[in-house]
Amino acid sequence: MAEAKVLSGAGLRGQVAGQTALSTVGQAGAGLTYRGYDVRELAADAQFEEVAYLLLYGELPTQAELADYSAKLAKLRDLPQALKEVLERIPADAHPMDVMRTGCSFLGNIEPEKDFSAQRDVTDRLLAAFPAIMCYWYRFSHDGKRIDCVTDEPTLGGHFLHLLHGKTPSELHVKVMNVSLILYAEHEFNASTFTARVCASTLSDLYSCVTAAIGSLRGPLHGGANEAAMEMIERFSSAQEAVEGTLGMLARKDKIMGFGHAIYKDSDPRNEVIKGWSKKLADEVGDKVLFPVSEAIDKTMWEQKKLFPNADFYHASAYHFMGIPTKLFTPIFVCSRLTGWAAHVFEQRANNRIIRPSAEYTGVEQRKFVAIERR
Ligand SMILES: CC(=O)SCCNC(=O)CCNC(=O)[C@H](O)C(C)(C)COP(=O)(O)OP(=O)(O)OC[C@H]1O[C@@H](n2cnc3c(N)ncnc32)[C@H](O)[C@@H]1OP(=O)(O)O
Ligand SMILES: O=C([O-])CC(=O)C(=O)O
């Protein structure tokens, strides 16, 4: 059974900043649960839409509820013309996380959350529209193509892959996208979720909370690590090179992206799941480099530093094997984590007090003002 990490020091580490009934992270036993369910069981047997429903509506749906929910999301996939026009103005070299931030924020202008009773409908709209926001911009700016934002794919993961590649995805790829969206959905008081809750605590609107959270997820110490991990893995052309390169990075005290965790002590339960799927995809494409390189880095990090891959590390190769461009990795995280962010906003609103911690002052003592001509 995994041991709990001793949490203390800067970054509010180990301090309880609020309550949640949504997930447990790093507790002995399961490691990660969503409303009491082990994430590994959800990833093995559930559909992402079921997990979204669980987080947003409180319980797993029945067959009929899931069918209604999936039909509701399918109807909300298309983008308003005004949003398409905004996306067309964003250059190809923009960062896709900035595109997601703008897309979310702009939708908040034209379809605002009028009052908090609309919070679930706004969330469902964003959940359905995010894949198209990402892919409409990507395909227009990179291929000069105005794609149809509606597909007949039954799942959000399949819908995303279809929009990106312009064709029906394979069953294996739909399965892996589904697993990935489940693994990334919720993670207690991580930096982006805490950002969303701070914003919610001022009684701001849901679009503002999500826009703020996207900004926090973008950084390489958080969601941006999946992209950064891919860039590192691609630098090596063999396992031997990867071992030498990793030793060099450690000697230079570089941060190795996709390793370590603020809460987990010796493993991230999401890693074994996505690593298994990455291996299946590696076999499917006949990969002889990326997966062995990833494993060599993984082994070296454990031997040298007792640092383990987090959820992001093997997501990099898994996404790559499905032909997803590296710069879209973190936006996929947004499509999934929206569910956790929104569920936390609902929780914060249901029992709110403005989040306003104190600071320890380290500046100069109080002193007399000196008029400008005497300075
Ligand atoms: C989905 C997610 O957001 S998962 C996180 C994704 N982020 C990454 O993968 C970025 C790389 N990892 C990191 O930067 C860190 O491990 C974080 C940000 C995830 C957690 O940070 P912390 O809670 O401060 O880490 P922790 O307290 O366990 O660090 C212990 C020591 O290991 C080092 N360390 C931790 N992770 C790494 C790493 N990936 N590479 C090299 N050294 C590391 C720290 O620098 C620290 O060393 P020190 O004591 O000499 O300062
Ligand atoms: O919990 C964290 O600090 C980061 C993380 O793994 C996540 O948000 O999924």
Side-chain angles (χ1 to χ4, degrees):
M1 195 176 281
E3 266 180 69
K5 186 169 170 176
V6 178
L7 301 171
S8 65
L12 296 177
R13 200 70 80 258
Q15 297 186 37
V16 173
Q19 296 181 320
T20 186
L22 290 164
S23 63
T24 59
V25 173
Q27 289 191 0
L32 174 59
T33 61
Y34 298 168
R35 293 200 189 271
Y37 296 102
D38 187 326
V39 75
R40 291 168 299 189
E41 286 180 34
L42 293 170
D45 292 321
Q47 235 189 58
F48 172 63
E49 286 76 357
E50 281 176 86
V51 172
Y53 190 97
L54 170 71
L55 292 169
L56 298 169
Y57 291 83
E59 287 296 340
L60 284 170
T62 61
Q63 244 351 318
E65 284 165 340
L66 178 62
D68 286 351
Y69 190 50
S70 300
K72 177 183 182 190
L73 293 177
K75 278 207 200 90
L76 295 170
R77 286 175 179 174
D78 206 1
L79 304 184
Q81 185 54 30
L83 176 51
K84 289 182 182 166
E85 283 164 20
V86 167
L87 294 171
E88 286 182 18
R89 285 167 178 262
I90 304 179
D93 63 358
H95 195 287
M97 284 297 276
D98 299 344
V99 178
M100 298 304 278
R101 203 183 56 214
T102 298
C104 176
S105 179
F106 185 74
L107 202 60
N109 285 277
I110 55 177
E111 298 177 11
E113 183 190 30
K114 296 223 170 67
D115 61 66
F116 291 175
S117 67
Q119 62 186 10
R120 284 197 171 75
D121 287 337
V122 169
T123 304
D124 291 341
R125 171 65 165 143
L126 281 171
L127 193 57
F130 269 157
I133 290 177
M134 180 189 348
C135 294
Y136 187 87
W137 165 78
Y138 184 81
R139 298 289 307 280
F140 182 81
S141 61
H142 289 66
D143 308 334
K145 205 169 157 31
R146 290 190 169 94
I147 57 164
D148 184 354
C149 296
V150 179
T151 70
D152 54 7
E153 297 297 334
T155 65
L156 271 170
H159 173 61
F160 160 69
L161 289 170
H162 193 143
L163 292 178
L164 179 65
H165 296 308
K167 57 177 194 219
T168 306
S170 72
E171 224 174 278
L172 174 63
H173 291 190
V174 173
K175 173 72 188 164
V176 179
M177 273 314 298
N178 183 63
V179 168
S180 165
L181 293 172
I182 290 174
L183 295 178
Y184 271 149
E186 159 56 13
H187 220 243
E188 200 223 40
F189 275 23
N190 60 84
S192 57
T193 301
F194 195 59
T195 302
R197 282 191 84 129
V198 170
C199 188
S201 82
T202 70
L203 301 184
S204 188
D205 72 303
L206 189 73
Y207 291 97
S208 298
C209 299
V210 174
T211 304
I214 293 172
S216 284
L217 189 70
R218 187 189 194 289
L221 295 190
H222 191 11
N226 55 15
E227 273 178 55
M230 187 69 222
E231 280 152 19
M232 172 183 68
I233 296 163
E234 276 184 316
R235 290 209 297 269
F236 306 118
S237 52
S238 69
Q240 183 56 32
E241 248 186 49
V243 172
E244 285 158 18
T246 307
L247 292 174
M249 286 188 283
L250 288 175
R252 290 193 299 277
K253 303 228 172 301
D254 291 350
K255 272 263 157 79
I256 319 286
M257 295 307 169
F259 285 86
H261 199 273
I263 307 294
Y264 296 124
K265 183 171 189 279
D266 47 25
S267 68
D268 178 334
R270 300 166 294 184
N271 174 58
E272 64 179 58
V273 182
I274 196 62
K275 181 175 177 181
W277 286 106
S278 176
K279 175 77 177 90
K280 280 198 180 67
L281 291 166
D283 293 344
E284 185 201 43
V285 299
D287 166 73
K288 296 274 178 289
V289 179
L290 273 187
F291 197 82
V293 160
S294 303
E295 279 196 307
I297 300 172
D298 179 352
K299 189 160 172 285
T300 310
M301 287 298 282
W302 185 253
E303 284 169 0
Q304 297 294 316
K305 298 280 288 184
K306 292 284 170 284
L307 282 169
F308 53 89
N310 56 47
D312 281 331
F313 187 66
Y314 283 97
H315 258 107
S317 49
Y319 287 166
H320 183 88
F321 295 140
M322 292 193 287
I324 300 173
T326 304
K327 57 166 134 170
L328 297 185
F329 290 4
T330 319
I332 302 173
F333 199 155
V334 172
C335 297
S336 160
R337 184 57 60 87
L338 166 67
T339 54
W341 292 334
H344 276 275
V345 170
F346 304 169
E347 245 187 2
Q348 184 66 38
R349 287 175 170 179
N351 185 17
N352 188 55
R353 188 178 192 195
I354 192 165
I355 297 174
R356 201 303 186 189
S358 301
E360 181 190 359
Y361 180 65
T362 59
V364 295
E365 292 290 314
Q366 192 173 342
R367 49 189 165 166
K368 271 258 166 272
F369 173 73
V370 181
I372 195 159
E373 61 281 3
R374 286 193 281 115
R375 261 177 250 155

